[in-house]
Amino acid sequence: MCLYRVLVLSVFLSITQAVDRSNFKTCDQSAFCSRQRAMKPGQSSYTALLETLELSDSHLTVQLLNNNNKVLLLLELYRLQGNMTRVKINELKPIKPRYEVPDVLITDPPTELMSVLAQDEHRVVLSLGGEDWRLILSAQPFRLDIMEGPQVLLSLNSRGLLAFEQLLLHLHVWPLFWFSTKPLSFQVSEGEEEEAEEEVDQPGMWEETFKTHADTKPNGPSSISLDFSLPGVEHVYGIPEHADGLKLKNTDGGDPYRLYNLDVFQYELFNPMALYGAVPVLLSHNTHRTMGLFWLNAAETWVDVSSGQVGVCVTGSHTGSSEVPQTDVRWISESGIIDVFIMLGPRPNDVFTQYSSLTGTQAFPPLSSLAYHQCRWNYNDQEDVSAVDQGFDEHDIPYDFIWLDIEHTDGKRYFTWDNNKFPQPKDMLQGLLDKRRKMVTIVDPHIKVDSSYKIHTEIRSRGYYIKNKDGGDYEGWCWPGNAGYPDFTNPEMRKWWASMFAYDQYEGSMENLYTWNDMNEPSVFNGPEVTMHKDALHGPWEHRDIHNLYGFYVQMATAEGQIQRSGGLERPFVLTRAFFAGSQRYGAVWTGDNAAEWGHLKMSIPMCLSLGLVGISFCGADVGGFFKTPSAELLVRWYQAGAYQPFFRAHAHLDTPRREPWLFGPDNTALIREAVRQRYTLLPYWYLQFYHAQRTGQPVMRPLWVEYPEDIATFSIDNEFLIALQPGEDDALPQATSPPVCSSDERSSGVTAYLPGNGEVWYDVHTFQRHDGAQNLSIPVTMSSIPVFQRGGSIICRKNRVRRSSSCMENDPYTLYVALDSQGNAEGEIYIDDGHTFKHKTDKQFIHRRLSFTANSLSSSDLSPDSQFPTASWVEQVNILGAQKPDAVTLTATDGGESSVEFEFDPDTAVLTLRKPGVNAGVNWTLHLR
């Protein structure tokens, strides 16, 4: 695995505070958050009415009574395949349906039988499979406990913070609604009526104002809240996107973590405020177990985290208590229903499998998209694009994609070109295609209101725009000026949008043109919090219900458009800024508008690690920082770090000086060239990891604790990471580990890397020096240093003949790096396909082989005998690290013939080099060391 480490400095460099925080709400300024947070832990007001319990083959239902206002809720419990439990809570009889999130789950999760083990008037005990797995439903107060033997794994509503605000009619007719329901289920006294009227007349319940913006709520307050307690847990992770450390912090005394997709200008670091995307998935971990919570709600959400020492006591016959660590998590959402998936692990990889079974795996990207991308706002015209393209060739720096931002369009009209600056886009694209390179153009979801603009007139005529609260087309300000916003929640709108990427619709487009969806939170410059009014309408639903889904749907429709334009043959590449659970199915994300500061370079690591934990592996940060101007040293270090992150793109703001890699002097150009070339040599390895990610749901870039779940030293490390998906069945074979230099101070002092694994060995990939695991290793560095380590026991395939683009390297030979473990063994894999189509899936056109070194023999065997793919690539060289000198080396090929292989041994590094075995990469062979 490639483990990247950024040193945590005792004193962080000062960060310019550029974000205007007054544009964005705190919890105190959010009516529903402040209202819910004012509710303190205590005995729940809800009772489970066990006499209403019904158990079917698929699930259990029971009614919950709010003892304060007598409103009834419906609880549904599902035991899902794969060691998961689903909990849904909704109003029993709402005045209209409440929003339930569609399209995120890839299928209706299959259920397993749930049986009653015991029941009395106080509780019901349900089996979750096996003898020890149980779910205890306590009646008064309502509470759920999931147990394994005597151990409580998770408790729901143990702090009594379940709250569910029912939908109401408008305030002046609300008492009629209240009494009209009275005969159905309850009686209301005069005092209770007055108390209820007072409750729904609190500020912000029917209309809420932020700055100059009013938010009307025709059905009053509709927020929901639920608490979860995790005994024995001190470390929780996830719920991106936040510019904060990997381990979630205690929010007591501060704002909760906020999940609400927003266009945040140059965000602050170490802050729980919302950013561009929201994935409501939280992971807990200790030395015994990893679990996950998936809160399926697309409305604005706040998450409180509280940790401490508590006593554990379960009601009923399971009594007793002891002081243990515990983390309590409370979810608060503005609308919708409670729909939560409890993923019980028990291992980290089990949680990833469970979550991907719900929302899907990372899309398998074209190989070229894993290479280097060159971008800025904006390349001025076709001549500028040609000059930059030529500059990479002149300076011998490979790249695959050049990007065009909003200025390439005709007046910010997307799907168009500025005829003065880009008069012949097909000629430009053909010039890139001749070099086997590609382009990305930006296509944002705000559409210029202009009666002469085809995209606008078609959307308006079809009625596909989002509506304002009064029924007219919603309009707001963005880059084009006055703009409309397509309703991507409408499947017909998404279908029409996808059709616009056809070559006969998107004039000037070709097969090597791909897409960037920006500003899709959605960004509305003159809207509340720089986004859309919550009372805007998507058909029958308010925007408050679907807000965090908008970017998800934009990327979905765009990816589908790229697939359709090729007749379903070609894999898409779409980058999105806004995202939600399930966005991994449609492409890549990046961390948004960062700054050219050391702190932002460091923060790129935990931000991408958090995304990987919740399924989104294809993540990166703008190399060099989007805002401000990096020093030459910072730019070099960022290239060195970015080369080892999944999405590798340099980007810069319109007002910054040009920063192509050759503009900082020949020495820095050479350093950047070397970093980019390292990325290209490792493309076969990156591609293999993404192949596994789309098959298994395991993250490509992962924290150390994922592979070393019992090593407490790894639990808080977020400045190192591993890049690997293990071959074999042991689920514990990371391939390489590394630390980038992320501070100017580290240049003189060096970096320190924690190499995990007691009894394991690691090899410096540059010097091949061997190091023992389970130690903090001090590493002296120079400006050329990119500390990377390969784990003993692994085999990594590289292509060391770097060319101008990844496609030019398609048939080049492989060099194998075999890093022996302490027992003298190693394993790895090689994966080859055409790099860009779906034929690996539709026609099984691929090569997938196991590489194994054991008993002094290195062999290649077929992992997929029913697949076929021709390749001209061959094995050019094998480097065996930690080896001993053999007397001879022979090759046994497919035909059974045996031939000798030239070799040399370096006793100082213990590296054995086998030269030109000359065997095809797609056939069986064995190298024998004698």
Side-chain angles (χ1 to χ4, degrees):
M1 271 192 180
C2 290
L3 176 161
Y4 232 126
R5 176 179 181 83
V6 181
L7 247 161
V8 177
L9 301 181
S10 58
V11 179
F12 286 96
L13 300 179
S14 62
I15 306 297
T16 301
Q17 307 296 327
V19 64
D20 184 355
R21 295 187 63 179
S22 69
N23 284 330
F24 306 102
K25 291 182 181 179
T26 64
C27 179
D28 287 342
Q29 294 170 311
S30 170
F32 81 92
C33 182
S34 60
R35 190 168 62 248
Q36 293 278 14
R37 219 180 183 203
M39 181 179 172
K40 301 304 180 184
Q43 182 164 305
S44 176
S45 62
Y46 285 90
T47 297
L49 305 179
L50 298 186
E51 64 273 18
T52 67
L53 187 147
E54 296 182 7
L55 182 63
S56 70
D57 289 343
S58 63
H59 68 295
L60 174 148
T61 63
V62 67
Q63 294 177 22
L64 305 179
L65 173 66
N66 185 329
N67 294 297
N68 291 334
N69 60 18
K70 310 307 178 186
V71 171
L72 287 171
L73 305 179
L74 181 66
L75 167 69
E76 299 175 69
L77 296 176
Y78 299 79
R79 177 188 166 203
L80 302 182
Q81 292 181 10
N83 203 20
M84 294 181 288
T85 299
R86 185 179 191 178
V87 180
K88 294 181 71 174
I89 302 176
N90 198 352
E91 293 185 55
L92 180 64
K93 296 182 178 180
I95 61 171
K96 67 176 187 179
R98 297 179 69 113
Y99 189 71
E100 299 187 39
V101 175
D103 300 317
V104 168
L105 301 179
I106 57 175
T107 187
D108 191 17
T111 61
E112 295 185 331
L113 288 176
M114 183 181 289
S115 59
V116 176
L117 299 177
Q119 181 174 357
D120 57 29
E121 68 273 20
H122 302 296
R123 64 173 192 154
V124 177
V125 181
L126 302 163
S127 171
L128 293 179
E131 296 181 1
D132 293 335
W133 289 85
R134 289 162 296 137
L135 186 152
I136 300 176
L137 167 59
S138 299
Q140 178 61 39
F142 162 66
R143 168 176 171 158
L144 293 176
D145 293 285
I146 294 179
M147 304 191 65
E148 183 182 27
Q151 181 184 3
V152 179
L153 302 180
L154 176 145
S155 297
L156 183 153
N157 200 38
S158 61
R159 302 171 73 215
L161 295 174
L162 169 61
F164 208 105
E165 295 178 329
Q166 70 271 27
L167 301 178
L168 304 170
L169 298 181
H170 196 270
L171 181 61
H172 72 274
V173 297
W174 176 82
L176 296 177
F177 157 76
W178 180 271
F179 285 108
S180 70
T181 63
K182 178 176 62 173
L184 297 177
S185 58
F186 57 86
Q187 300 292 321
V188 181
S189 69
E190 182 177 349
E192 286 175 331
E193 176 189 344
E194 292 174 354
E195 180 183 350
E197 290 191 43
E198 182 180 346
E199 286 179 357
V200 297
D201 201 21
Q202 294 177 13
M205 286 190 158
W206 296 93
E207 183 172 285
E208 184 174 354
T209 301
F210 181 67
K211 291 193 167 182
T212 61
H213 302 284
D215 171 24
T216 60
K217 305 175 185 181
N219 293 115
S222 58
S223 66
I224 56 177
S225 169
L226 186 59
D227 64 281
F228 300 81
S229 294
L230 299 160
V233 170
E234 295 181 271
H235 295 80
V236 290
Y237 312 90
I239 57 171
E241 183 178 34
H242 302 96
D244 207 348
L246 179 65
K247 177 181 179 289
L248 298 178
K249 296 180 176 62
N250 195 319
T251 59
D252 293 344
D255 257 12
Y257 287 96
R258 192 183 188 197
L259 296 173
Y260 191 59
N261 294 358
L262 293 171
D263 180 0
V264 182
F265 177 93
Q266 195 175 331
Y267 49 83
E268 291 181 7
L269 305 183
F270 307 104
N271 194 311
M273 68 186 297
L275 290 179
Y276 313 97
V279 184
V281 176
L282 179 143
L283 282 74
S284 69
H285 178 71
N286 60 25
T287 56
H288 304 293
R289 179 177 301 276
T290 306
M291 296 190 296
L293 295 172
F294 173 26
W295 179 266
L296 183 53
N297 189 295
E300 178 185 353
T301 297
W302 300 77
V303 185
D304 257 322
V305 177
S306 180
S307 300
Q309 299 285 325
V310 299
V312 176
C313 179
V314 180
T315 60
S317 62
H318 299 276
T319 59
S321 64
S322 60
E323 290 292 317
V324 297
Q326 178 167 302
T327 296
D328 298 309
V329 179
R330 184 186 185 189
W331 301 78
I332 304 169
S333 292
E334 184 174 14
S335 64
I337 70 165
I338 292 173
D339 189 1
V340 61
F341 295 83
I342 302 169
M343 299 169 285
L344 294 171
R347 300 174 302 173
N349 290 340
D350 294 323
V351 174
F352 302 141
T353 299
Q354 290 157 359
Y355 178 65
S356 64
S357 74
L358 299 172
T359 67
T361 62
Q362 176 67 58
F364 192 24
L367 188 151
S368 58
S369 67
L370 299 175
Y372 175 63
H373 301 249
Q374 181 66 31
C375 183
R376 78 171 279 112
W377 176 24
N378 202 83
Y379 287 117
N380 299 322
D381 48 34
Q382 284 186 218
E383 290 73 24
D384 197 7
V385 169
S386 178
V388 171
D389 175 72
Q390 186 63 32
F392 276 90
D393 292 338
E394 291 173 355
H395 294 91
D396 195 25
I397 301 173
Y399 89 96
D400 270 64
F401 284 81
I402 190 165
W403 293 53
L404 295 180
D405 211 317
I406 56 177
E407 310 302 332
H408 84 278
T409 63
D410 176 14
K412 314 302 189 297
R413 297 170 180 86
Y414 303 108
F415 298 100
T416 71
W417 305 83
D418 185 318
N419 288 328
N420 294 318
K421 297 178 179 179
F422 297 92
Q424 300 295 332
K426 282 194 173 181
D427 290 348
M428 174 180 63
L429 288 166
Q430 187 62 52
L432 294 171
L433 188 62
D434 290 343
K435 295 183 178 182
R436 306 186 73 176
R437 286 173 173 155
K438 302 167 178 67
M439 174 173 278
V440 171
T441 53
I442 198 165
V443 179
D444 288 348
H446 48 259
I447 304 302
K448 184 178 180 66
V449 175
D450 177 358
S451 60
S452 65
Y453 177 27
K454 180 187 74 171
I455 300 295
H456 164 69
T457 57
E458 286 218 30
I459 294 175
R460 173 161 286 181
S461 67
R462 293 169 182 261
Y464 288 164
Y465 277 127
I466 297 168
K467 307 303 180 184
N468 59 37
K469 64 179 181 179
D470 299 316
D473 288 346
Y474 180 93
E475 294 181 359
W477 284 83
C478 207
W479 295 125
N482 197 35
Y485 290 78
D487 185 1
F488 284 90
T489 68
N490 181 347
E492 293 302 315
M493 169 60 211
R494 296 198 300 270
K495 181 179 178 181
W496 177 85
W497 180 267
S499 73
M500 290 299 99
F501 289 91
Y503 299 124
D504 61 350
Q505 294 292 329
Y506 189 171
E507 294 183 11
S509 65
M510 290 177 53
E511 63 269 22
N512 63 330
L513 183 67
Y514 296 85
T515 311
W516 172 17
N517 293 148
D518 197 4
M519 316 298 287
N520 54 339
E521 292 75 27
S523 179
V524 183
F525 292 162
N526 61 336
E529 300 192 89
V530 200
T531 192
M532 187 168 288
H533 292 74
K534 290 180 176 179
D535 54 10
L537 297 174
H538 301 255
W541 305 110
E542 289 187 294
H543 185 71
R544 80 180 74 253
D545 299 314
I546 67 93
H547 176 85
N548 287 341
L549 276 176
Y550 192 77
F552 165 88
Y553 278 128
V554 174
Q555 190 185 25
M556 174 196 289
T558 302
E560 183 59 30
Q562 287 190 11
I563 295 170
Q564 287 181 9
R565 73 179 185 180
S566 69
L569 179 64
E570 297 289 331
R571 283 177 251 164
F573 172 67
V574 181
L575 180 72
T576 182
R577 189 169 72 175
F579 51 84
F580 189 67
S583 288
Q584 68 270 12
R585 306 200 299 265
Y586 304 112
V589 306
W590 92 107
T591 62
D593 296 345
N594 60 0
E597 298 172 350
W598 290 100
H600 279 263
L601 167 55
K602 295 176 184 180
M603 190 56 72
S604 68
I605 295 176
M607 290 182 75
C608 280
L609 286 174
S610 293
L611 284 163
L613 290 176
V614 300
I616 301 176
S617 279
F618 205 177
C619 169
D622 286 344
V623 169
F626 179 65
F627 290 108
K628 302 186 177 181
T629 303
S631 66
E633 181 182 5
L634 174 57
L635 185 65
V636 167
R637 293 304 191 194
W638 213 317
Y639 270 97
Q640 292 171 343
Y644 286 89
Q645 294 181 2
F647 178 55
F648 184 25
R649 181 186 76 155
H651 187 33
H653 189 274
L654 181 73
D655 295 330
T656 63
R658 294 289 285 258
R659 60 169 87 144
E660 282 71 43
W662 51 87
L663 298 179
F664 293 80
D667 291 343
N668 292 312
T669 299
L671 292 170
I672 293 172
R673 178 190 302 116
E674 176 58 25
V676 177
R677 288 174 66 88
Q678 285 189 34
R679 173 59 166 232
Y680 275 73
T681 65
L682 282 168
L683 283 176
Y685 181 69
W686 282 103
Y687 197 51
L688 171 66
Q689 306 319 314
F690 275 90
Y691 171 69
H692 278 296
Q694 63 94 26
R695 292 176 64 237
T696 68
Q698 307 297 310
V700 171
M701 178 179 175
R702 55 178 68 179
L704 273 65
W705 63 261
V706 168
E707 293 295 344
Y708 298 89
E710 298 179 6
D711 186 350
I712 297 175
T714 66
F715 292 1
S716 296
I717 292 177
D718 63 4
N719 48 10
E720 297 184 18
F721 60 87
L722 303 163
I723 301 171
L725 286 166
Q726 60 286 333
E729 300 298 329
D730 61 358
D731 286 344
L733 186 59
Q735 303 285 307
T737 174
S738 92
V741 181
C742 290
S743 166
S744 57
D745 293 347
E746 292 173 340
R747 183 178 173 186
S748 57
S749 62
V751 298
T752 300
Y754 179 68
L755 300 181
N758 188 26
E760 297 182 7
V761 295
W762 298 84
Y763 297 88
D764 186 311
V765 301
H766 306 296
T767 66
F768 305 131
Q769 183 177 355
R770 172 176 165 155
H771 302 280
D772 293 329
Q775 68 157 319
N776 288 297
L777 181 67
S778 296
I779 307 167
V781 298
T782 65
M783 276 300 296
S784 63
S785 299
I786 312 179
V788 181
F789 299 86
Q790 182 175 345
R791 181 185 173 183
S794 66
I795 300 174
I796 289 179
C797 301
R798 300 191 186 201
K799 286 191 173 183
N800 288 336
R801 299 187 186 183
V802 177
R803 304 185 190 274
R804 65 173 51 168
S805 72
S806 64
S807 296
C808 294
M809 300 165 62
E810 178 182 2
N811 296 317
D812 283 348
Y814 291 91
T815 296
L816 311 185
Y817 290 79
V818 182
L820 301 184
D821 63 16
S822 57
Q823 305 301 313
N825 301 317
E827 282 193 353
E829 295 178 9
I830 187 170
Y831 176 84
I832 307 170
D833 63 17
D834 62 25
H836 59 94
T837 75
F838 287 107
K839 289 182 179 179
H840 68 284
K841 181 180 293 186
T842 59
D843 301 334
K844 298 189 74 67
Q845 293 188 13
F846 64 90
I847 294 167
H848 187 200
R849 305 190 67 81
R850 180 182 302 283
L851 303 171
S852 179
F853 187 95
T854 184
N856 286 326
S857 293
L858 174 64
S859 62
S860 172
S861 58
D862 202 341
L863 283 170
S864 183
D866 59 342
S867 65
Q868 292 184 343
F869 183 74
T871 180
S873 295
W874 52 286
V875 179
E876 180 178 41
Q877 184 170 303
V878 178
N879 297 318
I880 304 176
L881 317 183
Q884 295 180 349
K885 184 178 181 180
D887 294 327
V889 178
T890 59
L891 170 69
T892 302
T894 306
D895 58 7
E898 190 169 287
S899 58
S900 61
V901 175
E902 177 186 350
F903 70 91
E904 65 179 53
F905 180 73
D906 184 341
D908 294 330
T909 60
V911 174
L912 175 65
T913 301
L914 314 181
R915 302 193 182 281
K916 297 184 179 179
V919 65
N920 186 277
V923 302
N924 293 336
W925 51 264
T926 304
L927 285 163
H928 304 279
L929 278 58
R930 306 187 187 280

